[in-house]
Amino acid sequence: MAQSVGIKDVARAAGVSVGTVSNVINRPETVAGDTRARVLSAIDRLGYVRSESARQLRAGRSRIMGLLVLDMGNPFFVDVARGAERAARDAGLGVMVCNSAQNAAEEAEYLSLFAEQRVRGVLLTPADATGRNIAAFRRHGIPFVLVDRVAEGTTECSVSVDDVAGGALAVRHLVDAGHRSIAYVSGPPGLNQVRDRRTGALNALAEAGLGPDALRELPTERLDVAAGRDAGARLLGLADRPTAVFCANDLLALGVLQALYAAGVVVPDDLAIVGYDDIEFAAAAAVPLTSVRQPAVTMGALAAGLLLEETEAGTEGGAGRHEHRRVVLQPELVVRRSSLAAR
């Protein structure tokens, strides 16, 4: 196994002190031109790479921001990561992206990894409904911002979308189109987003004078296309099948659409569908999907900005005490063909 090249090896090859090599790397203007050229030649010849982690530990300031999301297979979280990465890069930082896969145990492991790496801060979409993982991570004193989740019961910053309003937008649209029996393909009941979207759906039904029995919930264990296909099969098996379905995210909706298509059910003539997130694939589906749009890139950028603001507040030249804030963005209904049939 090849041994890594250290700063002492560079100093020995260039015939200078370790301090001179350090100056060439960190303060090149303080080193004479000939000496600097000799050191740089040795660095190039030996293939020396500076230990960034060691430098960060000495400085006490990591240049890495952690991002832990529920599912990197969901384009919504890819867009969140894009927004966060853009804001971090503008500040000279990198982003370490991790995927909890909606699993509380994996979330705990990644949070421990972030603590071991002493990251600058963490952007987190929690998978653990109990809050124990967050409580354990808080002891490390590393700042974090919740993304796609309101910071209920905590003092941390959060950036989220009003999911109650989003659920109401979706179902109000279906009610206005004449539907009186609607299925809700939900997800893991421990996720606040799933519960809030259901609350919004029930609110819209109540506004129309319809009771909660007008909403038939079909829960799923995951928020992906496969779970949507399974829910679609269950929907098809109902004796009193609803005339419309609202899905907790677009991946579920695309899975339902696949199941209906395979069974010869025509969307939207036989059954209307509304999704949530408005991912790129929604507009490109075989039947373009009506969806509740979340500004995912903006969410990621705003969350990263809040985290940067907090981590800079206590530094030399910073603004001092940071005040935590909850940012709640508003969703938007994007109507496409999947819900446009007249009743």
Side-chain angles (χ1 to χ4, degrees):
M1 179 184 296
Q3 294 183 342
S4 61
V5 176
I7 194 170
K8 291 182 179 178
D9 299 309
V10 174
R12 188 180 305 113
V16 298
S17 68
V18 169
T20 297
V21 176
S22 178
N23 285 337
V24 168
I25 294 171
N26 298 297
R27 296 177 296 278
E29 71 281 358
T30 66
V31 182
D34 291 346
T35 303
R36 186 167 65 246
R38 193 162 71 250
V39 171
L40 291 174
S41 176
I43 287 174
D44 183 61
R45 187 169 67 254
L46 297 175
Y48 168 74
V49 177
R50 174 172 63 174
S51 174
E52 181 65 16
S53 60
R55 187 191 70 80
Q56 291 174 9
L57 288 176
R58 287 193 299 271
R61 298 282 289 170
S62 172
R63 293 182 57 246
I64 298 296
M65 177 188 298
L67 171 62
L68 181 55
V69 300
L70 291 177
D71 181 11
M72 279 306 293
N74 186 338
F76 167 76
F77 287 111
V78 174
D79 286 343
V80 169
R82 283 175 50 217
E85 190 273 337
R86 187 179 303 163
R89 186 177 65 243
D90 289 344
L93 303 182
V95 179
M96 180 191 298
V97 182
C98 297
N99 175 28
S100 71
Q102 304 174 41
N103 184 290
E106 291 191 31
E107 175 182 83
E109 291 177 4
Y110 279 123
L111 288 175
S112 294
L113 174 64
F114 288 152
E116 291 171 5
Q117 295 297 317
R118 304 188 191 184
V119 296
R120 178 78 63 94
V122 173
L123 305 178
L124 170 65
T125 303
D128 177 25
T130 69
R132 284 192 291 265
N133 286 344
I134 288 179
F137 184 70
R138 190 180 285 114
R139 293 198 297 266
H140 297 290
I142 297 174
F144 64 90
V145 173
L146 300 180
V147 185
D148 194 31
R149 179 70 57 85
V150 176
E152 297 174 349
T154 74
T155 59
E156 283 76 23
C157 289
S158 66
V159 179
S160 62
V161 166
D162 188 341
D163 283 316
V164 174
L169 281 174
V171 171
R172 190 178 297 122
H173 167 68
L174 292 171
V175 169
D176 288 345
H179 298 282
R180 296 296 179 266
S181 178
I182 300 169
Y184 176 45
V185 175
S186 58
L191 293 180
N192 288 3
Q193 298 94 321
V194 168
R195 295 198 301 268
D196 287 349
R197 292 165 197 178
R198 180 179 184 274
T199 297
L202 291 173
N203 290 348
L205 291 173
E207 289 173 6
L210 299 171
D213 57 345
L215 191 72
R216 299 279 299 276
E217 185 166 1
L218 297 173
T220 64
E221 294 184 357
R222 300 184 63 81
L223 294 164
D224 55 24
V225 173
R229 284 195 296 266
D230 175 72
R234 284 183 280 149
L235 179 64
L236 290 167
L238 295 177
D240 51 345
R241 185 193 306 166
T243 61
V245 56
F246 167 45
C247 298
N249 77 358
D250 285 342
L251 295 183
L252 289 172
L254 292 172
V256 170
L257 182 60
Q258 289 179 7
L260 298 180
Y261 180 82
V265 175
V266 179
V267 174
D269 296 344
D270 297 333
L271 197 147
I273 301 179
V274 175
Y276 205 104
D277 289 339
D278 195 33
I279 61 175
E280 183 177 357
F281 299 127
V287 179
L289 184 67
T290 294
S291 185
V292 178
R293 176 178 293 167
Q294 299 197 83
V297 174
T298 299
M299 289 175 66
L302 286 174
L306 289 174
L307 186 59
L308 290 165
E309 181 183 297
E310 180 174 357
T311 60
E312 293 296 329
T315 64
E316 184 178 350
R321 186 173 179 274
H322 169 74
E323 293 188 6
H324 293 300
R325 300 198 302 277
R326 294 182 181 181
V327 178
V328 180
L329 304 174
Q330 291 303 307
E332 173 189 2
L333 182 69
V334 180
V335 178
R336 300 190 181 94
R337 191 156 62 88
S338 71
S339 64
L340 284 180
R343 302 300 304 171

